[in-house]
Amino acid sequence: MSNKANSYQRFPLWRRIEHLAMLLSFTTLALTGLPQKFPDSRMSIGFVNTLGGIENLRTIHHVAAIVLMLGTVWHLLVFGYLAYVRRTRLSMLPSLQDLKDGWQALMYNLGFAKSFPQMGRYTFEEKMEYWAFVWGTLIMVITGFMMWNPISTAKFLPGEFIPAAKAAHGGEAVLAVLAIIIWHMYGVHVKRFNRSMFTGRMSEEDMLHEHPLELADIKAGIAERPVDAATLNKRQRAYLPVAAVAAILLLGGIYSFVNAEDTALKTIQRQAPTLQIFVPFTPTPAPTQTPTLEPTLTPTPVPPTDTPPPTQPVTESATSAAAPASNVTWDNAIGATLQDKCGACHGTAATAGLNLSTYADALKGGSSGPAIVPGDVENSLLVTKQQAGGHPSQLSADELAIVIGWINAGAPEK
């Protein structure tokens, strides 16, 4: 029923705005986070390319994370106001009755109970979803800080905590998305379409079905605790200064979260150094001059000129294609090139388990297999992925040719 006379206010406007902000930030985080967890998926690659590259995707992800944290700060301040100033019943806190309601609902669905449990302001299902969101947000903020600020994290915790945080962050993200799709969508939009978070009101029929005990309290006039104006003003004067200080501290924490490191908001683009490589040219000595066959002369051989020309210094950029593969190593060329082109995804973050920041890590490979197999280009995933084209960090044809020559030469480090 849409008639206000037969409906009851459930959520005021500010609650609905808060819900919309969290809805948009969560959706954006999911859309920009899952492609980073599954980077080899065609859908992920297409989505990243649509947004203009991995850096744009990360920027959007970071902005959505900031919105989520700001929404959390607002939620905490409002909770303090309702709990202390208004003295609203803390009906979202779990209780023993929720266990009883959950058990009765299970028995009812299995056909062993005669009636579905009657519940109040929030059902046991809504409480479970709310506290799962609280727990998930806490995990995502902590692990997100570790990945966003790995240098600061490593000052206080062992380095192993950073890849562990990445695993926890991705796992919690998948769990949260599945919970929204399976649990929330069914309970709120499929089983019985609940419009109250958008309209602010719920019909008496829906109240009787979902929250009969709250409906009884509303009709009895005991749903809210009345507060006189004098008491309300006194509590506000006590709470608002505390809330202001708490807000400043929390916002300062978010600012520190975002600006703790310069590398938090962008990937450093490093120019590959130009190194002097001394390549000795040793031409074949000139052959001995062929003697003449005149009968009156004795053939006189000409001394060979076998002195090679002096060693000539050449730059890598000018002769890298002509230089023998044995002169190209990880230290003088390959490592810098891969860090410049692939470090955004396969550096410390180690997307798909592949870290190309060091020679040892590059040989270990990632979750899909060995990226570099010395002497075996066909089984080196780094080459096969690049040859397929369309990679987010695509090497140029010349760079790929140098890498192939280096692998064929045994992939030397030094």
Side-chain angles (χ1 to χ4, degrees):
M1 298 180 183
S2 58
N3 189 354
K4 282 193 174 184
N6 295 316
S7 64
Y8 302 88
Q9 185 182 45
R10 184 158 180 80
F11 298 109
L13 178 61
W14 58 268
R15 276 291 193 198
R16 286 177 273 154
I17 294 175
E18 177 187 359
H19 176 267
L20 180 62
M22 301 299 269
L23 168 65
L24 294 177
S25 64
F26 180 89
T27 303
T28 304
L29 286 168
L31 291 176
T32 55
L34 292 179
Q36 298 182 68
K37 180 170 176 59
F38 305 103
D40 294 332
S41 168
R42 290 185 178 180
M43 185 178 297
S44 298
I45 294 173
F47 189 71
V48 171
N49 292 335
T50 300
L51 294 180
I54 187 66
E55 285 305 317
N56 290 343
L57 181 114
R58 285 177 175 170
T59 299
I60 297 172
H61 191 77
H62 291 163
V63 171
I66 294 172
V67 173
L68 181 68
M69 288 186 287
L70 292 175
T72 302
V73 170
W74 168 260
H75 188 77
L76 291 174
L77 295 176
V78 170
F79 169 77
Y81 182 86
L82 294 177
Y84 178 76
V85 179
R86 299 293 305 182
R87 301 295 168 91
T88 303
R89 292 184 178 89
L90 303 180
S91 51
M92 187 57 83
L93 293 178
S95 65
L96 180 61
Q97 184 60 42
D98 295 316
L99 292 176
K100 296 178 180 179
D101 291 340
W103 178 257
Q104 185 176 347
L106 176 63
M107 292 297 100
Y108 175 79
N109 291 329
L110 294 177
F112 297 114
K114 295 181 179 181
S115 62
F116 196 78
Q118 294 192 341
M119 290 168 277
R121 171 71 177 173
Y122 297 109
T123 67
F124 74 92
E125 298 162 300
E126 292 170 335
K127 292 182 182 181
M128 287 176 62
E129 189 170 355
Y130 173 82
W131 287 106
F133 183 80
V134 170
W135 168 255
T137 301
L138 182 63
I139 294 296
M140 299 302 274
V141 169
I142 294 175
T143 57
F145 177 86
M146 292 181 179
M147 293 188 296
W148 200 329
N149 304 285
I151 299 174
S152 301
T153 300
K155 291 179 181 178
F156 303 98
L157 297 171
E160 291 80 3
F161 273 72
I162 297 172
K166 181 176 182 294
H169 197 85
E172 176 61 30
V174 173
L175 182 63
V177 171
L178 291 177
I180 291 296
I181 294 175
I182 297 174
W183 183 283
H184 184 79
M185 291 294 293
Y186 173 77
V188 178
H189 300 291
V190 177
K191 181 181 70 173
R192 194 178 186 91
F193 186 32
N194 189 339
R195 303 179 181 86
S196 61
M197 190 52 81
F198 301 100
T199 64
R201 305 187 70 84
M202 180 174 281
S203 67
E204 183 169 343
E205 178 185 353
D206 289 338
M207 287 287 292
L208 188 61
H209 184 273
E210 297 287 338
H211 310 281
L213 298 183
E214 182 188 19
L215 178 62
D217 289 343
I218 292 174
K219 290 189 173 184
I222 59 174
E224 295 184 2
R225 296 173 178 174
V227 183
D228 60 87
T231 302
L232 187 65
N233 291 334
K234 181 179 179 181
R235 293 173 183 170
Q236 286 177 341
R237 288 193 299 269
Y239 176 73
L240 292 180
V242 176
V245 173
I248 293 173
L249 293 176
L250 291 170
L251 293 176
I254 294 176
Y255 181 83
S256 300
F257 186 115
V258 174
N259 296 282
E261 297 175 15
D262 291 339
T263 55
L265 296 177
K266 63 181 179 180
T267 300
I268 296 178
Q269 298 294 332
R270 298 186 299 174
Q271 184 67 32
T274 300
L275 304 176
Q276 293 285 340
I277 303 176
F278 294 90
V279 183
F281 289 94
T282 310
T284 303
T288 302
Q289 183 175 351
T290 304
T292 61
L293 300 178
E294 296 180 8
T296 57
L297 297 176
T298 301
T300 304
V302 179
T305 57
D306 56 355
T307 303
T311 300
Q312 299 179 10
V314 293
T315 61
E316 179 189 13
S317 59
T319 63
S320 58
S326 60
N327 293 303
V328 178
T329 68
W330 175 273
D331 287 346
N332 67 23
I334 301 300
T337 299
L338 294 183
Q339 275 298 293
D340 180 44
K341 286 298 186 73
C342 309
C345 295
H346 299 292
T348 305
T351 300
L354 177 59
N355 184 354
L356 297 176
S357 59
T358 67
Y359 180 77
D361 288 331
L363 291 187
K364 287 180 182 178
S367 57
S368 298
I372 298 170
V373 181
D376 188 354
V377 172
E378 293 183 358
N379 289 317
S380 298
L381 289 179
L382 172 63
V383 175
T384 57
K385 290 281 187 181
Q386 289 289 330
Q387 287 177 332
H391 197 274
S393 300
Q394 185 68 39
L395 297 175
S396 67
D398 291 340
E399 290 169 336
L400 183 57
I402 294 174
V403 171
I404 291 174
W406 171 69
I407 293 177
N408 282 331
E413 180 180 8
K414 300 179 181 179

